[in-house]
Amino acid sequence: MTKVAVIGSGNVGATTVQRLAELNIADIVMVDIVEGLPQGKAMDIVQAAPIMGYDVDVIGTNDYANINDSDIVVVTAGIARKPGMSRDDLLATNIKITQQVCANIEKYAPGSIIMTVTNPLDIITYAALRCTQFDRNRVMGMSGLLDSSRFASFIAKEMNCSVRDVNAMVLGGHGDAMVPLPEYSTVSGIALSKLMDEETIEKIVGRTINAGAHIVSHLKEGSAFYAPSAAIAAMVESILKDTKRIFPASVFLNGEYGMHDICLGVPVKLGRKGVEEIIELELNIREAEALQRSASAVREGIAKIR
Ligand code: APR
């Protein structure tokens, strides 16, 4: 049986464990520093198994030693946004937590694939890569698939059509400078520009960029977790089943898109080796400039952690 560790048993972590258990693809261990929290949530998830029909092991623990031999470690440990905060405001706290988590991953699961979720996502992903010194195919951040799912849901709403026919793409950093790509977004293969006017597309792009903050403004305490956990589960499934699905994710760029020494959201192929390929899209001038702006914002964060 394969094994997935989820670090952090808060909203994103615990919902991810639930989704992974329901996929029935791996034993799961959930780790948190708060005593009792991962244990209690794991018990609850195990007790749903007879009804939901999964038969994987789910354990909750405060001991990192239990992540040993994990195939994938999903990192959700850290604080989440409150209204008025940007993802970058979380950096000082979350970078320290990430360092602790990475030291434990290196110690107990040195052969694993790391999927970061903690914000600010691209900077945390970069930090995880530098801390562990894992090869870049084994470190990725979940962001682009979430942003693309949000973009797709708004397109479907606007079109009054099934979300299943929408394929949307968002590149760049997971922040206000993210780059939704209408040119690479389609409904049943039909380019978005053939289906709606420029103004409508701009409106949907704006909603996509603000989607996370909009949820935070409603929740007041904490940020989104249903859609983030759905994106994590889809990425984990593609890796474990070696499906080689192509999703945008934050990965270390080494010349791709003309960028070096940065983690940024780009389309990648996910299989048993992790990031098996980075797909380089041809971008028009406007898109390329937007990606550069997004990269600059991420570079500022990377400079801070240095
Ligand atoms: N090791 C393990 N768990 C930790 C550690 C640590 N060193 N530090 C904090 N945690 C745990 C907290 O105890 C808490 O249970 O991380 C959990 C975070 O849960 P929530 O506060 O509910 O936050 P959540 O909504 O899950 O978001 C987590 O993901 O999407 C991002 O921006 C979000 O950075 C945030 C992260």
Side-chain angles (χ1 to χ4, degrees):
M1 194 66 183
T2 42
K3 177 171 170 183
V4 177
V6 177
I7 314 300
S9 60
N11 282 335
V12 179
T15 316
T16 297
V17 173
Q18 180 193 350
R19 291 199 190 278
L20 290 174
E22 289 174 2
L23 284 174
N24 212 23
I25 47 174
D27 290 332
I28 307 163
V29 51
M30 171 163 54
V31 184
D32 203 288
I33 42 165
V34 178
E35 275 181 35
L37 189 68
Q39 290 87 345
K41 289 191 178 181
M43 279 175 202
D44 199 5
I45 290 168
V46 166
Q47 289 164 18
I51 303 168
M52 300 306 295
Y54 46 83
D55 48 17
V56 293
D57 282 339
V58 181
I59 63 159
T61 175
N62 304 116
D63 184 356
Y64 271 96
N66 289 303
I67 72 169
N68 67 320
D69 299 330
S70 293
D71 296 279
I72 302 180
V73 181
V74 179
V75 183
T76 78
I79 56 166
R81 284 198 279 176
K82 294 209 166 69
M85 287 171 94
S86 79
R87 293 182 180 93
D88 287 348
D89 295 334
L90 309 171
L91 183 58
T93 306
N94 285 352
I95 195 75
K96 290 196 195 103
I97 295 172
T98 303
Q99 280 171 323
Q100 289 162 13
V101 171
C102 286
N104 282 300
I105 296 174
E106 255 196 294
K107 185 166 173 195
Y108 296 111
S112 63
I113 289 169
I114 301 179
M115 189 182 299
T116 54
V117 182
T118 305
N119 275 309
L121 190 276
D122 305 277
I123 304 164
I124 295 292
T125 308
Y126 182 90
L129 188 107
R130 288 292 181 217
C131 287
T132 57
Q133 301 202 6
F134 283 9
D135 290 341
R136 68 170 180 157
N137 64 299
R138 291 203 287 134
V139 182
M140 72 194 80
M142 185 294 292
S143 53
L145 181 56
L146 165 63
D147 297 325
S148 301
S149 179
R150 287 170 167 162
F151 192 20
S153 77
F154 298 144
I155 293 168
K157 200 96 203 139
E158 185 65 38
M159 292 284 301
N160 191 24
C161 73
S162 168
V163 288
R164 285 190 291 169
D165 291 328
V166 184
N167 222 310
M169 178 65 78
V170 179
L171 302 190
H174 185 50
D176 294 342
M178 71 176 72
V179 188
L181 289 182
E183 297 283 324
Y184 286 100
S185 301
T186 57
V187 181
S188 251
I190 309 163
L192 215 51
S193 55
K194 302 246 186 285
L195 297 166
M196 50 185 87
D197 58 33
E198 189 66 22
E199 202 181 321
T200 309
I201 293 175
E202 282 306 313
K203 185 185 76 185
I204 297 175
V205 162
R207 282 177 73 190
T208 304
I209 293 169
N210 290 320
H214 196 190
I215 292 172
V216 172
S217 75
H218 280 294
L219 294 180
K220 299 187 180 66
E221 293 290 325
S223 52
F225 53 100
Y226 293 113
S229 57
I232 298 165
M235 289 171 67
V236 167
E237 187 179 32
S238 185
I239 295 169
L240 291 183
K241 290 188 176 170
D242 200 25
T243 324
K244 306 197 193 292
R245 294 197 66 183
I246 293 170
F247 295 134
S250 184
V251 295
F252 185 83
L253 298 180
N254 200 3
E256 296 85 1
Y257 291 87
M259 311 228 188
H260 294 271
D261 199 32
I262 187 171
C263 287
L264 207 60
V266 295
V268 298
K269 188 186 284 174
L270 295 182
R272 210 62 183 82
K273 296 192 184 82
V275 179
E276 298 192 347
E277 194 181 329
I278 295 176
I279 291 151
E280 285 198 73
L281 300 176
E282 211 175 287
L283 301 178
N284 63 34
I285 289 176
R286 213 172 108 197
E287 293 161 343
E289 282 175 358
L291 195 65
Q292 285 296 344
R293 274 197 299 280
S294 196
S296 302
V298 173
R299 279 200 191 94
E300 275 175 34
I302 290 176
K304 276 185 205 152
I305 61 169
R306 279 214 184 95

